[in-house]
Amino acid sequence: MADAKVIPFEDDRSRSGGASRPARRRTGTGSGGRGEGPAAPVSALPGGQVPPEGPEPPRESQESQGAQGAQGGLERGGWDRRIAGGLAFLRRRVTGDYEVDEFGYDKELTDQVLMSMLRPVADKYFRVEVKGIENIPSEGGALIVANHSGTLPLDGLMLQVAVHDNHPAERHLRLLAADLVFHLPVVNELARKAGHTLACAEDAQRLLERGEIVGVMPEGFKGIGKPFGERYKLQRFGRGGFVSTALRAGAPIVPCSIVGAEEIYPMIGNAKTLARLLGIPYFPITPTFPWLGPLGAVPLPTKWTIQFGEPIPTDGYPPDAAEDPMLMFNLTDQVREQIQHTLYKLLVQRRSVFF
């Protein structure tokens, strides 16, 4: 038999130390594999990806990481939009490229700055609960008539936040304020920017005819400056001027009852002489003011409830109804009684002043 030519296998070559081409290393390390030692790096195919080494992470872990990455991207995108919006707002402020109506109302400044400052006070500090917001119309004018209390007029500001943040249409409340508000430095400008205007029939009627939501507190300083012993007892509602305004504009009247404001500054005394010297209606004395100085001006964190009652329509009356004094008296008394009755009802339901 002729001598057969033996073709050596690769393993035999590697064991014999021949000079032939080196043996290929195996990547598998299982029990059936012959290769031992570290695995050679795997090169990617053209257009492909190198598979990761080691065991594949569970699907739940992959989904969690993907969700966290998406959430982080959304948060970064949200912050980017906020920063861009803030810079655009500042640019418009500097260049004067913003609108102010004939009453001085600056809607953009109110929404982005003033409301943002008041909202935490309403939501976190006073924890305002709003009821009956559906009684405020989604469009057209309406006159909101509310009780007034609290020594300082914080109830008007909280009412403004409550209407805007809870109404589906995010309607803005235009409050009618006393003359003193527009005589105070700084406060005058802020009040105008926030949409407040002088408490006169002409301005109120113009706003109602334009389809605005107008707020009025007929008790005035008599309500806000009454002693703590008379809390939640409505004072005189004036001569019913707000009813006459609503009749001329054909706007509904929405009674509003506010519970919680009476206790933020319990007024136990009034320094009348000092008030006359300062030219203000009253100088309050509370358990904390003026004894604790500026710290005494911090309101107590009471729990508030604001309830809007059933609207009283005025569009069914004849054009000269606003000149009828008996009708003015009856409608004024109806609004006042409805607010007072709701106040008593809310007080009975309240568990605590602070909770």
Side-chain angles (χ1 to χ4, degrees), residues 180-194:
L180 178 62
V181 174
F182 301 101
H183 292 159
L184 297 174
V186 181
V187 176
N188 171 27
E189 292 296 327
L190 291 177
R192 289 288 186 187
K193 296 290 186 181

Side-chain angles (χ1 to χ4, degrees), residues 308-321:
F308 300 97
E310 291 284 342
I312 301 173
T314 62
D315 53 356
Y317 293 94
D320 58 346

Side-chain angles (χ1 to χ4, degrees), residues 214-236:
V214 180
V216 61
M217 296 173 167
E219 293 177 279
F221 289 118
K222 298 187 301 294
I224 196 174
K226 63 178 177 286
F228 186 68
E230 298 180 12
R231 60 191 179 280
Y232 298 115
K233 295 179 181 178
L234 293 182
Q235 305 299 302
R236 185 170 173 268

Side-chain angles (χ1 to χ4, degrees), residues 147 255-259 305-308 338-340 342-343 346:
N147 59 304
C256 176
S257 303
I258 303 175
V259 167
T305 302
I306 299 179
Q307 179 163 338
F308 300 97
Q338 187 169 341
I339 295 174
Q340 184 69 81
T342 305
L343 285 175
L346 293 175

